[in-house]
Amino acid sequence: MGKRQIRIFRRDLLDHQFELLQSPAVQVVLRSRVVLNGKLKRLDANGAELQDLRFDYHTFPLEQVEEMIYDVEAPY
Protein backbone atom coordinates (compact mmCIF):
# COMPACT_ATOMS: atom_id res chain seq x y z
CA MET A 1 0.00 0.00 0.00
CA GLY A 2 1.15 3.47 -0.81
CA LYS A 3 -0.11 6.96 -0.24
CA ARG A 4 -1.04 9.74 -2.60
CA GLN A 5 -1.18 13.39 -1.71
CA ILE A 6 -4.29 15.30 -2.70
CA ARG A 7 -3.65 19.05 -3.04
CA ILE A 8 -6.54 21.49 -2.87
CA PHE A 9 -5.87 25.11 -3.67
CA ARG A 10 -7.55 28.12 -2.06
CA ARG A 11 -10.23 28.65 -4.71
CA ASP A 12 -11.44 25.04 -4.38
CA LEU A 13 -11.38 24.66 -0.57
CA LEU A 14 -15.10 25.14 0.03
CA ASP A 15 -15.96 22.67 -2.77
CA HIS A 16 -13.92 19.99 -0.95
CA GLN A 17 -15.01 20.95 2.56
CA PHE A 18 -16.50 17.55 3.45
CA GLU A 19 -13.46 15.47 2.52
CA LEU A 20 -11.07 17.87 4.27
CA LEU A 21 -13.07 17.74 7.50
CA GLN A 22 -13.26 13.92 7.34
CA SER A 23 -9.52 13.51 6.79
CA PRO A 24 -7.60 12.44 9.93
CA ALA A 25 -4.76 14.87 9.17
CA VAL A 26 -4.22 17.76 6.79
CA GLN A 27 -1.34 20.07 6.06
CA VAL A 28 -2.24 23.72 5.66
CA VAL A 29 0.23 25.74 3.60
CA LEU A 30 -0.14 29.45 4.30
CA ARG A 31 0.82 32.20 1.86
CA SER A 32 3.71 33.05 4.19
CA ARG A 33 5.07 29.50 3.48
CA VAL A 34 4.32 28.35 7.04
CA VAL A 35 2.96 24.78 7.12
CA LEU A 36 0.59 23.63 9.87
CA ASN A 37 -0.23 19.96 10.37
CA GLY A 38 -3.21 18.57 12.26
CA LYS A 39 -6.94 17.87 12.24
CA LEU A 40 -9.18 20.40 10.52
CA LYS A 41 -12.04 21.30 12.89
CA ARG A 42 -13.85 24.02 10.94
CA LEU A 43 -13.85 25.24 7.36
CA ASP A 44 -16.28 27.82 6.02
CA ALA A 45 -16.32 31.11 4.14
CA ASN A 46 -15.18 32.99 7.28
CA GLY A 47 -12.04 30.91 7.76
CA ALA A 48 -10.63 27.68 9.09
CA GLU A 49 -9.65 26.20 12.44
CA LEU A 50 -6.99 23.52 12.84
CA GLN A 51 -6.06 21.50 15.92
CA ASP A 52 -2.38 20.56 15.80
CA LEU A 53 -0.68 17.50 17.28
CA ARG A 54 -0.08 19.38 20.56
CA PHE A 55 -3.84 20.04 20.81
CA ASP A 56 -3.40 23.78 20.22
CA TYR A 57 -5.95 25.53 18.00
CA HIS A 58 -5.00 27.77 15.07
CA THR A 59 -7.55 29.95 13.31
CA PHE A 60 -6.91 31.83 10.09
CA PRO A 61 -8.92 33.44 7.27
CA LEU A 62 -9.03 31.63 3.92
CA GLU A 63 -7.16 34.53 2.29
CA GLN A 64 -4.03 33.40 4.16
CA VAL A 65 -4.24 29.80 2.87
CA GLU A 66 -2.28 28.83 -0.24
CA GLU A 67 -3.36 25.16 -0.28
CA MET A 68 -4.36 22.20 1.88
CA ILE A 69 -2.88 18.74 1.42
CA TYR A 70 -4.13 15.38 2.70
CA ASP A 71 -3.15 11.75 2.08
CA VAL A 72 -5.17 8.86 0.69
CA GLU A 73 -4.09 5.24 0.47
CA ALA A 74 -3.32 4.03 -3.04
CA PRO A 75 -3.87 0.39 -4.09
CA TYR A 76 -0.34 -0.34 -5.32
Side-chain angles (χ1 to χ4, degrees):
M1 289 288 204
K3 291 194 180 236
R4 298 225 186 245
Q5 288 186 335
I6 307 296
R7 303 172 81 118
I8 301 174
F9 295 97
R10 180 180 337 119
R11 66 180 177 275
D12 300 325
L13 286 175
L14 294 178
D15 296 335
H16 297 275
Q17 178 179 14
F18 180 75
E19 61 195 79
L20 286 167
L21 289 170
Q22 295 300 316
S23 179
V26 297
Q27 294 176 336
V28 178
V29 181
L30 300 178
R31 296 183 82 184
S32 63
R33 300 294 182 213
V34 172
V35 178
L36 301 170
N37 187 17
K39 172 78 174 139
L40 196 62
K41 295 295 187 178
R42 180 179 59 88
L43 176 64
D44 55 26
N46 295 328
E49 183 175 44
L50 179 93
Q51 183 181 17
D52 66 16
L53 299 176
R54 294 181 178 176
F55 302 106
D56 292 329
Y57 285 89
H58 305 272
T59 57
F60 39 86
L62 291 185
E63 294 82 29
Q64 290 183 2
V65 177
E66 186 69 32
E67 64 181 330
M68 289 190 188
I69 303 168
Y70 69 97
D71 294 336
V72 295
E73 289 194 19
Y76 65 88

